[in-house]
Amino acid sequence: MSNYNYDSRSVCAECFSDEGIKNFIEGAAESNECSFCGMVSNEPIAARFKSVATHINDSLYQEYDDAANCMSYVSAEGGYLGETWPTYELLVDVIALELPRDEDDSLFNALVHRLDDNAWCQRNPYSLTYAQETEFGWKHFCHVVKHQRRYFFRDGDQRDSEILSPGELLETILNYALRIGLIVGIKRGALKVVRARPQREGEKFEAALDLGPPPLEKATQSNRMSPAGVVMFYGSDQVQTALRETAQTLGSGTYALGEFFNAREIVILDLANLPGIPSLFQEIPDSMEYNPRPVLQFLHHVSWEISQPVERDGREHIEYVPSQVVTEFVRSSSGEAGRIDGIRYPSAVPPGLASYVLFADQDNVAVPDDKRPSVRGDDRWLELVARSERQVTTEDLRLAGRNGQTCD
Ligand SMILES: [Zn+2]
């Protein structure tokens, strides 16, 4: 192995697919030529292989370790008590490191040679990984709120020290959302939310109160974010999304569309606009007080869980409970996060777009020449700005797929 003299070589960002490694190389580029793929430029494109390998090696220790440091070794059992991988297996099977230009494996071999020659294992091999903690914490939370208790979490919850208790999980959502900057103010008039409402033969919904949140006595359904009896306003940022989500369950026919805006500044928790999960190899700036990778893994997990489609076959009364509890917790927030007026979450139908639940009932709808008795300080912040009508056909529904949810 001594003839591997890779330390004087340089490697370019194109030789890797991982964004974190690419960024590291771009920040440390000093050579105009890549020793591995042969790419040449008139600007620096390649960093010293030695420093790239050191960066990869150091980053690996954030989530992996040398089994010799942390695992029990029992000769009679045939070695370490736990799963270990030699370096090449860690890179190929565990990390799935992609080297798009490495046709002759020279870069791969150089990395294996240069990285620590460990029996690699999961960091803290006898504890849960961060991803497992999140997954088990969410499952535990769902189990408790679906099948054990739903309304009080702030007692001394008997907990396994590794798994978040339901109360801690809820606190974590808001704490992480604050760190990442997902609790955002929206200036007056800057929010547009569309709600679609089916019209039967002869019905025509035109007034703000008909197109906005339903009256309390009509809130008899269990919805994604609100249990029966609690009124919230569901809508989407686009007409297509509003139609698809509503029409999916209610079927073809004529739909009235109401477009609302916020008549005062509001604050929402935006779970539909999460930054991507950074790579293990992304350098964390010194100014950053926490590692964003586990924080974003957690938030992506929660956001995905609460936007999954649920069939309305009776199970929705149970399946929607976790997202309803999260929503109620967000709604009652008052600490550092301040008061929150709604949640933006990824739409299940179609994926990639967003829906809103706003903590507004009919008392929050602005009505022209309002004669209603004043309630709760007249916080009438939801205002109808446009109204239209659409015909939805069975063909539209077929194209939109089968998943769905309703909006009131
Ligand atoms: Zn290259």
Side-chain angles (χ1 to χ4, degrees):
M1 298 291 267
S2 60
N3 58 348
Y4 276 130
N5 182 17
Y6 285 115
D7 286 359
S8 59
R9 295 191 173 200
S10 298
V11 64
C12 78
E14 298 298 312
C15 278
F16 292 89
S17 299
D18 183 276
E19 285 301 315
I21 301 177
K22 279 180 181 294
N23 291 340
F24 177 85
I25 293 175
E26 280 157 11
E30 52 185 40
S31 164
N32 295 6
E33 183 176 353
C34 175
S35 322
F36 291 89
C37 71
M39 188 159 76
V40 181
S41 171
N42 42 25
E43 289 167 22
I45 50 163
R48 292 184 58 183
F49 173 74
K50 190 178 169 180
S51 59
V52 175
T54 302
H55 173 69
I56 293 175
N57 199 61
D58 292 349
S59 305
L60 285 172
Y61 281 96
Q62 290 178 57
E63 293 182 16
Y64 304 92
D65 203 348
D66 181 359
N69 292 335
C70 54
M71 257 190 189
S72 319
Y73 190 92
V74 181
S75 310
E77 300 283 339
Y80 287 111
L81 292 181
E83 194 173 10
T84 65
W85 313 280
T87 305
Y88 73 89
E89 209 173 295
L90 179 76
L91 296 183
V92 173
D93 298 333
V94 184
I95 305 283
L97 187 71
E98 285 178 46
L99 306 172
R101 297 186 160 190
D102 192 30
E103 281 158 21
D104 63 357
D105 285 343
S106 61
L107 177 55
F108 180 75
N109 290 331
L111 282 169
V112 171
H113 179 70
R114 195 70 183 71
L115 301 183
D116 289 348
D117 184 19
N118 293 337
W120 291 91
C121 65
Q122 209 66 250
R123 195 181 148 103
N124 303 321
Y126 304 124
S127 310
L128 298 177
T129 64
Y130 199 82
Q132 286 168 330
E133 256 178 59
T134 299
E135 192 191 329
F136 297 165
W138 178 262
K139 279 193 177 143
H140 176 62
F141 169 73
C142 290
H143 179 76
V144 169
V145 299
K146 282 180 185 176
H147 306 298
Q148 294 177 346
R149 62 206 155 84
R150 201 157 290 172
Y151 303 108
F152 296 102
F153 301 110
R154 292 178 199 278
D155 52 358
D157 188 40
Q158 275 200 342
R159 61 175 298 234
D160 180 316
S161 63
E162 278 196 79
I163 298 179
L164 292 174
S165 71
E168 287 171 320
L169 180 125
L170 292 167
E171 300 278 359
T172 304
I173 293 174
L174 277 190
N175 289 342
Y176 283 5
L178 271 170
R179 281 189 186 176
I180 303 288
L182 303 178
I183 296 175
V184 288
I186 300 180
K187 287 207 164 54
R188 179 180 191 278
L191 179 85
K192 181 186 108 171
V193 180
V194 182
R195 178 178 171 223
R197 187 172 176 197
Q199 299 179 132
R200 275 179 300 225
E201 195 73 28
E203 270 180 337
K204 204 168 183 65
F205 298 124
E206 291 182 310
L209 289 179
D210 289 329
L211 291 164
L216 298 181
E217 62 275 14
K218 290 275 178 63
T220 52
Q221 272 195 31
S222 195
N223 285 309
R224 180 177 299 280
M225 305 297 184
S226 51
V230 176
V231 170
M232 293 185 188
F233 181 62
Y234 290 85
S236 300
D237 49 7
Q238 295 187 25
V239 169
Q240 281 312 322
T241 322
L243 271 177
R244 284 186 187 182
E245 293 215 340
T246 313
Q248 280 299 306
T249 332
L250 299 176
S252 58
T254 310
Y255 283 79
L257 292 158
E259 186 183 320
F260 289 81
F261 85 113
N262 55 324
R264 65 158 163 84
E265 179 164 349
I266 60 167
V267 174
I268 61 156
L269 167 63
D270 190 354
L271 291 175
N273 204 13
L274 287 175
I277 298 168
S279 142
L280 171 63
F281 303 105
Q282 181 64 49
E283 276 184 300
I284 302 169
D286 288 341
S287 59
M288 196 160 239
E289 287 161 5
Y290 63 94
N291 180 354
R293 191 168 141 85
V295 171
L296 280 162
Q297 279 172 340
F298 175 88
L299 289 172
H300 274 273
H301 190 88
V302 170
S303 165
W304 185 84
E305 292 280 1
I306 65 170
S307 56
Q308 286 312 293
V310 169
E311 287 286 341
R312 284 195 169 273
D313 56 3
R315 273 178 303 169
E316 74 271 16
H317 297 295
I318 299 165
E319 295 303 316
Y320 278 147
V321 168
S323 51
Q324 291 168 352
V325 173
V326 169
T327 304
E328 187 173 294
F329 184 79
V330 171
R331 184 183 194 172
S332 60
S333 129
S334 59
E336 201 188 337
R339 173 177 154 182
I340 297 174
D341 299 294
I343 302 176
R344 185 168 177 261
Y345 56 96
S347 169
V349 196
L353 296 171
S355 292
Y356 289 91
V357 59
L358 300 176
F359 309 144
D361 60 24
Q362 293 207 329
D363 288 338
N364 301 111
V365 178
V367 174
D369 306 319
D370 203 345
K371 300 283 192 310
R372 292 177 297 166
S374 87
V375 275
R376 290 187 320 215
D378 279 349
D379 186 15
R380 302 206 163 135
W381 58 272
L382 205 54
E383 199 166 319
L384 181 69
V385 279
R387 190 262 172 202
S388 58
E389 223 172 71
R390 283 289 173 87
Q391 196 71 36
V392 176
T393 63
T394 351
E395 179 68 359
D396 292 332
L397 295 180
R398 195 184 61 75
L399 290 174
R402 280 271 307 122
N403 300 330
Q405 65 173 107
T406 61
C407 291
D408 75 354

